[in-house]
Amino acid sequence: MSLQDTPQGERIHIAFFGRRNAGKSSFFNAIAGQKLSLTSETLGTTTDPVRKSMEILPLGPVLLIDTPGFDDEGELGSMRVERTKEVLRETDIALLFLPAKDFLSAKDVLPARKEEQGEGFFLSDIEGQEEVLFLPEKEASYLRLFQENKIPAFLLLSQADKLSLEERGRIEEWIEKWISRKKDTPFQGIFLVSSETKEGVEAVKNAFAPLASLQEEKKRLFHGLVEPGDFVVLVTPIDESAPKGRLILPQQMAIRDILDYNGIPLVCQVEELPRILENLGEKIKLVVTDSQAFSKVNQTLPKTMPLTSFSILMARYKGFLSYALEGCATLSTLEDGDRVYIAEGCSHHRQCGDIGTVKLPRMLEKYSGKKLQFVYSEGKGFLPEEEQKRVKIMIHCGACMLSEKEVESRYQDFLRKKIPICNYGLAMAKMTGILERSIEML
């Protein structure tokens, strides 16, 4: 990733949901402007989520995610459906696809079922129940999931090119009536769309405009910490676990954000830190270090100089600093045999000095004096629900590759079960004895 690229975790995630052959992949390609997802009349063509980074104004940088059909069947089909549900964790905006003809068929049977309130559909009344929105079971269940997770959603009545003039007229009349009279719609908008004729492509993009605040309201990494002209020292050890020929993402983000604040970033390794102190001294506003170098950097700096880590800044930025701080107390109560879950948001080749699977576990056992059990995951993989219940604490990385939505979903999984969570940087600060110092400025 270059410094000018927007990381996936910083993009608004727009996910496409619907049954097999509902037109998701074709419309995904239409919005992306290129053929990224395979399309076919064969059911289940999309077997894994497909992702595409692009710009959609006025939202800015977005990540489009095409998902397998949520009505897939069989053993493999069930696995694909689970993949689709996992995408909900990271979804900021949901597009729910329902073929227009299926919508008409469902609406036609409504009068006979108007009083039913079963799981098979979702009803929402307009004044006096003169008009109602009917969704089949699968679509209704996903709409409920969107609502439970507070995900703004759009209903896309797809394959509009297959409608007769009479059918199109009925749907357009209904949409117009719905929009004009519905006070509390479960959807941000309802559109007739067709990937064949490109109908609705620009209308759907334009409908994202009211949601632009999702991007505008995001806090920045050094929010409230840096002013123009401030010197900020970034300590970036280059060891066996460092990526070859590049900086890790939080380091790149830090450099760019300091520059955006018109601050002055100074990047060095631990060994060069004394020389920078000698030249700048008290002019340094803040020192940010890789968590694994906390001990050495803490010993090098004057006690009055503010110090934190990239990982702790990421916890603050992603919105789970307070929860992770509370979880730090659990590190002092670990017992023999306790299961510690270490979760990493990116996938990379594990090396002998890997922080998540080598350095952090070693520190935890030395700090606690106990023999612990460790469970690991990386990337989009996450610990299954049943296994989560057997964990004493979850320790997450800085989550630079994950969206704030996905990070929130992950830690809420554990907080609902009253299982504490922590963060690489906070855990290492706690075990190094400098936790208070590392958060004092935050």
Side-chain angles (χ1 to χ4, degrees):
M1 193 205 80
S2 65
L3 282 173
Q4 61 265 36
D5 288 336
T6 301
Q8 286 194 6
E10 301 304 300
R11 295 175 177 268
I12 292 179
H13 290 45
I14 304 174
F16 295 55
F17 298 95
R19 285 178 273 165
R20 292 170 293 172
N21 281 16
K24 303 185 303 300
S25 297
S26 298
F27 202 73
F28 176 89
N29 291 340
I31 285 189
Q34 51 188 299
K35 293 184 178 180
L36 298 167
S37 279
L38 293 176
T39 59
S40 166
E41 292 185 4
T42 302
L43 292 175
T45 301
T46 302
T47 58
D48 287 289
V50 177
R51 290 171 165 81
K52 168 62 178 176
S53 297
M54 64 179 295
E55 298 269 340
I56 295 182
L57 296 176
L59 284 186
V62 303
L63 180 71
L64 304 181
I65 310 173
D66 186 21
T67 66
F70 51 50
D71 64 331
D72 214 335
E73 301 171 339
E75 185 176 351
L76 278 177
S78 297
M79 294 170 65
R80 292 168 186 159
V81 172
E82 284 304 310
R83 288 284 181 90
T84 295
K85 287 183 177 178
E86 287 172 6
V87 171
L88 283 168
R89 287 186 180 275
E90 56 185 298
T91 301
D92 294 307
I93 300 173
L95 304 183
L96 180 61
F97 287 76
L98 176 62
K101 281 185 175 290
D102 291 349
F103 172 76
L104 281 177
S105 298
K107 194 170 182 298
D108 287 341
V109 303
L110 180 61
R113 307 175 61 183
K114 191 170 184 179
E115 302 304 320
E116 295 184 31
Q117 297 293 329
E119 289 297 318
F121 58 95
F122 177 93
L123 282 175
S124 185
D125 297 334
I126 291 182
E127 301 170 9
Q129 293 190 350
E130 295 177 13
E131 290 287 340
V132 291
L133 169 64
F134 176 82
L135 293 178
E137 177 182 356
K138 292 291 185 181
E139 286 75 8
S141 66
Y142 270 76
L143 175 56
R144 294 188 189 98
L145 288 174
F146 301 153
Q147 292 176 316
E148 289 170 9
N149 291 279
K150 299 179 181 179
I151 302 171
F154 293 83
L155 176 62
L156 273 54
L157 304 178
S158 57
Q159 301 169 358
D161 54 286
K162 297 181 180 179
L163 294 172
S164 67
L165 287 176
E166 186 271 335
E167 289 172 330
R168 173 181 287 275
R170 287 168 57 195
I171 290 181
E172 288 176 343
E173 181 182 0
W174 182 87
I175 291 177
E176 184 178 350
K177 187 179 294 185
W178 170 276
I179 292 173
S180 65
R181 299 177 62 181
K182 188 71 178 90
K183 297 177 181 178
D184 187 27
T185 175
F187 292 108
Q188 300 289 321
I190 302 174
F191 298 92
L192 267 173
V193 301
S194 167
S195 56
E196 288 293 321
T197 64
K198 302 299 185 290
E199 177 181 357
V201 172
E202 292 305 316
V204 171
K205 287 183 180 179
N206 292 336
F208 294 149
L211 302 176
S213 60
L214 291 174
Q215 190 79 326
E216 293 168 358
E217 293 175 0
K218 287 180 71 69
K219 285 187 177 180
R220 287 160 56 183
L221 197 61
F222 285 90
H223 176 76
L225 302 178
V226 176
E227 297 178 353
D230 284 344
F231 289 100
V232 181
V233 178
L234 307 176
V235 184
T236 60
I238 305 298
D239 57 17
E240 58 191 356
S241 63
K244 300 299 181 184
R246 62 183 177 85
L247 299 175
I248 62 173
L249 181 55
Q251 295 164 358
Q252 296 182 40
M253 292 173 64
I255 293 170
R256 178 55 198 258
D257 201 44
I258 294 168
L259 292 174
D260 284 343
Y261 277 114
N262 295 314
I264 305 168
L266 300 169
V267 184
C268 71
Q269 297 190 60
V270 179
E271 294 74 18
E272 282 70 52
L273 184 56
R275 180 173 295 183
I276 291 182
L277 289 172
E278 183 181 338
N279 284 282
L280 291 176
E282 294 182 358
K283 293 181 180 179
I284 297 173
K285 178 70 172 292
L286 172 65
V287 177
V288 184
T289 181
D290 191 284
S291 300
Q292 59 187 308
F294 251 145
S295 182
K296 290 182 180 179
V297 174
N298 178 57
Q299 293 170 11
T300 304
L301 295 181
K303 298 302 180 185
T304 56
M305 187 167 290
L307 168 67
T308 191
S309 77
F310 295 103
S311 182
I312 293 175
L313 281 177
M314 290 303 300
R316 172 181 181 259
Y317 178 62
K318 296 291 183 178
F320 67 104
L321 178 60
S322 59
Y323 302 106
L325 268 173
E326 292 176 11
C328 282
T330 304
L331 300 178
S332 302
T333 66
L334 294 173
E335 298 291 343
D336 285 326
D338 280 346
R339 293 169 66 86
V340 177
Y341 174 37
I342 298 180
E344 190 145 346
C346 61
S347 300
H348 61 268
H349 175 64
R350 301 290 186 184
Q351 301 192 45
C352 56
D354 182 69
I355 186 171
T357 58
V358 178
K359 294 179 180 178
L360 185 55
R362 187 184 298 155
M363 286 184 70
L364 285 165
E365 290 200 325
K366 182 178 179 181
Y367 176 76
S368 66
K370 307 297 182 182
K371 185 63 178 176
L372 307 172
Q373 297 183 49
F374 294 97
V375 186
Y376 307 96
S377 71
E378 61 180 35
K380 294 296 180 183
F382 200 58
L383 200 65
E385 194 78 14
E386 282 305 309
E387 291 187 39
Q388 291 177 16
K389 299 174 184 176
R390 301 167 57 198
V391 167
K392 181 67 176 288
I393 185 172
M394 186 262 277
I395 304 178
H396 209 293
C397 70
C400 60
M401 295 298 294
L402 305 179
S403 69
E404 187 174 331
K405 184 80 176 182
E406 185 167 6
V407 173
E408 179 182 4
S409 174
R410 288 186 169 201
Y411 69 63
Q412 288 296 342
D413 267 7
F414 286 84
L415 295 178
R416 281 192 293 266
K417 300 179 182 71
K418 302 189 184 305
I419 300 171
I421 67 169
C422 198
N423 160 277
Y424 281 20
L426 290 167
M428 290 185 167
K430 169 76 172 177
M431 292 185 286
T432 309
I434 59 169
L435 180 59
E436 289 187 10
R437 181 182 188 180
S438 69
I439 62 170
E440 185 177 7
M441 192 178 181
L442 307 182

